[in-house]
Amino acid sequence: MRILVYGSNGREIETEALVDTGCNDTLVLSHELVMALHAPQVSNQQIRVASGQVVTCPVHRVEVQWGTLRRTFYASVLGSGQEAILGMQAFQGHRIEIEAEVGGEVQITPL
């Protein structure tokens, strides 16, 4: 799904976000995206990645918008590239409908 990610001083980047139903985190962004946004770092945290390894990563404050919904998130920074990962905590209070096919639509509505 396409999202807008906002950093400091009005910087914004539109990017593709993968909805990861196996991710308990809220949002994971790449180092490149966070640096381009000049998003402020607020802390570090340890997370367990898919391989089972525990890694320490920085956490940055950003705003994310999909459709008309715009919310503040604390994004874990991990990996490289331009794709974001939205974990299940990002959708608290919302219903998610996913067409499980390549290019399938994702619909998010408030409960």
Side-chain angles (χ1 to χ4, degrees), residues 54-93:
V54 176
V55 297
T56 300
C57 61
V59 176
H60 292 255
R61 186 180 55 78
V62 296
E63 289 188 11
V64 175
Q65 180 176 337
W66 61 77
T68 59
L69 181 66
R70 184 167 168 168
R71 297 173 52 195
T72 299
F73 287 129
Y74 294 92
S76 301
V77 179
L78 192 64
S80 60
Q82 292 296 309
E83 190 173 80
I85 297 172
L86 284 166
M88 295 313 295
Q89 284 185 12
F91 302 108
Q92 271 191 316

Side-chain angles (χ1 to χ4, degrees), residues 6 15 35 64 73 75 90 95:
Y6 299 87
T15 189
M35 292 301 104
V64 175
F73 287 129
R95 176 187 178 101

Side-chain angles (χ1 to χ4, degrees), residues 25-108:
D25 209 346
T26 304
L27 176 65
V28 178
L29 296 175
S30 70
H31 178 77
E32 292 87 352
L33 276 173
V34 169
M35 292 301 104
L37 290 165
H38 294 256
Q41 183 175 347
V42 294
S43 66
N44 289 300
Q45 75 173 2
Q46 289 190 326
I47 62 172
R48 185 175 308 275
V49 295
S51 68
Q53 180 182 6
V54 176
V55 297
T56 300
C57 61
V59 176
H60 292 255
R61 186 180 55 78
V62 296
E63 289 188 11
V64 175
Q65 180 176 337
W66 61 77
T68 59
L69 181 66
R70 184 167 168 168
R71 297 173 52 195
T72 299
F73 287 129
Y74 294 92
S76 301
V77 179
L78 192 64
S80 60
Q82 292 296 309
E83 190 173 80
I85 297 172
L86 284 166
M88 295 313 295
Q89 284 185 12
F91 302 108
Q92 271 191 316
H94 292 80
R95 176 187 178 101
I96 305 170
E97 294 181 40
I98 301 171
E99 291 179 355
E101 63 184 23
V102 175
E105 198 172 310
V106 175
Q107 293 185 1
I108 303 161

